Amino acid sequence: MHSRLRQQQLLSAFGREALRRSELDDLLQEAARIAANGLGTNLSKVLQHIPDEGALKIVAGVGWRPGVIGVVRFGTDLESPAGFALRTGAPVISNHLGDEGRFRTPKLMVEHGVRRAVNVLIRGEAGAPPFGVLEVDSRDPREDFSESDVDFLQALANVVGLAIDRDRDRRDRELLTREAHHRVKNSLQIAQTLLRLQLREVEDPEARLQLEQAARRIMTIGAVHERLFSGPAIGQVAVGTYLHGLVEDLRNSLGVGEGSRPLELELSATAEMAVWDGDRVTTLGLVVTELVTNAFKYGRDRVLIRLEIAALDGAGTLVVEDGGDGPPAGYDQVRGRGLGMRIMATLLRGGELVPQWPAGGRFRFVATLPPAASGASA
């Protein structure tokens, strides 16, 4: 008889692993390993029910020849031990498969010399169809599987079921989040289009300038929402990828092409690899948009955007050079009354925006980006 204490220790360790791991495939493979270990064999498998095929597919397991996992399927009829467990919900112990009159022995198990098998149902949340079956097999005919073995295996399967429920919930939340960001992005695109249409009816230069800047701000925010559901994780945006895309959008928006003043982007290695949450990237994008728009309005030659980010807390320095003379000396005058400057003062709360006139160099604005808030992604 297998040690109950050892089985309890394995269950406890697997429970901790189930809380830590996020990849379901890895967790199913670990469950198969724990199941075989706990029952003193080297053969086990997790079978997922595929209703459309009327089959149970082996999706994880130990001890089987190559080409089995992810490929081999069993029937779900009552003459299959796994099928019986799936259809009735009752555990199945078969300690004498060769003499078994209730079930047929699947070909795969004959090939591997299986003499004994025990199956339990992997349930899902209440009202949901079961995920499938957890099975342990053995070539050794000398020691029978016991009711206590069934208890261990069912407890293991129940933990697997909870992990599957959690994975389903996570996927559902991700789907809803992606849909929400997609709708926001579409709404922002509609708003931007309406502003562009309004521009055709406006002749006053100052009014046209304000509408163009509003359209660019909406474009900047929309680009963040687009990347929130296509980035490395839901709600996270790769800073380098976003800024490269934003610069291309600004080139199109500002009409920067061949023969025009170029718009260039330089990122430190840390900035290229950084991943930030949506709010933080939106702030960065709006500051870049305001400074670049200002640079093309008042600068003389190429506009250079340079971003350096600290590795740990996400604090950074954003520099936009434009080759112009810059505003009159004095920060208070730079802050002025313009909407763009007021927007940046709000966005950079905790940081600052400083104009610099390097001796013999190009005028630039230097924005200090504050560190990420505690607990936020940097």
Side-chain angles (χ1 to χ4, degrees):
M1 181 176 293
H2 307 111
S3 167
R4 292 288 291 168
L5 176 60
R6 179 163 157 273
Q7 290 178 344
Q8 290 171 1
Q9 291 172 339
L10 289 170
L11 274 175
S12 177
F14 181 74
R16 292 193 298 271
E17 188 72 6
L19 291 173
R20 184 180 68 84
R21 291 203 183 198
S22 58
E23 292 298 325
L24 182 60
D25 290 345
D26 293 342
L27 191 66
L28 295 178
Q29 185 61 35
E30 180 66 8
R33 188 190 70 80
I34 293 290
N37 192 353
L39 269 60
T41 80
N42 59 3
L43 284 170
S44 67
K45 51 184 175 285
V46 177
L47 300 111
Q48 182 179 359
H49 184 212
I50 313 295
D52 293 344
E53 300 179 11
L56 285 161
K57 181 174 76 172
I58 301 178
V59 293
V62 296
W64 307 101
R65 61 173 169 77
V68 168
I69 296 175
V71 176
V72 174
R73 289 159 168 77
F74 289 172
T76 60
D77 56 278
L78 294 175
E79 293 182 2
S80 160
F84 188 91
L86 177 73
R87 287 185 174 272
T88 66
V92 176
I93 298 178
S94 184
N95 284 313
H96 306 283
L97 279 174
D99 302 323
E100 182 65 73
R102 295 175 300 167
F103 311 116
R104 67 179 183 277
T105 304
K107 180 180 177 182
L108 175 71
M109 296 166 70
V110 173
E111 290 175 356
H112 285 76
V114 173
R115 302 290 190 87
R116 299 181 292 119
V118 56
N119 294 264
V120 296
L121 188 68
I122 302 174
R123 294 178 172 85
E125 59 186 328
F131 174 82
V133 173
L134 176 61
E135 178 176 322
V136 173
D137 304 304
S138 175
R139 299 183 178 93
D140 185 357
R142 294 171 297 177
E143 184 179 352
D144 289 351
F145 289 126
S146 65
E147 291 298 330
S148 64
D149 291 332
V150 170
D151 292 341
F152 162 74
L153 203 60
Q154 188 63 71
L156 182 63
N158 291 344
V159 177
V160 173
L162 291 173
I164 291 168
D165 288 346
R166 186 184 65 179
D167 184 71
R168 286 172 176 165
D169 290 343
R170 178 180 61 81
R171 292 176 185 274
D172 288 345
R173 288 195 301 271
E174 286 187 359
L175 182 63
L176 290 173
T177 302
R178 289 178 187 273
E179 179 63 22
H181 286 302
H182 184 71
R183 288 176 183 243
V184 170
K185 184 199 75 169
N186 287 344
S187 296
L188 290 170
Q189 285 180 335
I190 291 172
Q192 185 183 11
T193 300
L194 292 174
L195 284 174
R196 297 291 184 193
L197 291 174
Q198 186 67 31
L199 271 169
R200 299 177 183 177
E201 308 298 324
V202 175
E203 296 181 358
D204 180 72
E206 183 60 29
R208 289 183 61 84
L209 177 62
Q210 295 300 325
L211 287 173
E212 287 172 354
Q213 290 177 333
R216 289 190 195 101
R217 290 167 187 143
I218 291 173
M219 172 199 71
T220 300
I221 298 171
V224 172
H225 282 277
E226 181 177 8
R227 287 173 174 83
L228 278 173
F229 61 86
S230 61
I234 292 295
Q236 301 292 303
V237 179
V239 173
T241 301
Y242 168 72
L243 284 179
H244 284 292
L246 177 61
V247 166
E248 191 59 36
D249 290 341
L250 287 170
R251 286 192 183 109
N252 295 331
S253 172
L254 294 164
V256 179
E258 293 187 13
S260 302
R261 292 157 50 200
L263 174 60
E264 300 175 9
L265 175 66
E266 292 181 2
L267 301 177
S268 68
T270 307
E272 192 74 64
M273 300 299 294
V275 176
W276 287 357
D277 62 70
D279 289 343
R280 192 161 167 77
V281 174
T282 298
T283 296
L284 175 64
L286 287 171
V287 171
V288 169
T289 299
E290 295 299 328
L291 290 177
V292 168
T293 301
N294 186 74
F296 271 89
K297 183 177 179 182
Y298 297 109
R300 289 199 305 263
D301 53 22
R302 73 183 181 113
V303 176
L304 173 65
I305 306 167
R306 187 168 66 251
L307 176 64
E308 297 181 358
I309 295 175
L312 295 179
D313 61 7
T317 302
L318 172 68
V319 177
V320 176
E321 298 180 352
D322 62 27
D325 296 328
Y331 182 68
D332 288 340
Q333 295 181 39
V334 173
R335 186 163 20 181
R337 299 181 179 178
L339 177 60
M341 289 298 176
R342 295 203 304 274
I343 288 175
M344 283 188 286
T346 300
L347 293 172
L348 291 172
R349 192 165 295 159
E352 61 178 344
L353 179 66
V354 178
Q356 293 183 355
W357 296 262
R362 296 156 48 84
F363 171 76
R364 61 195 180 195
F365 273 114
V366 179
T368 301
L369 306 175
S374 176
S377 172

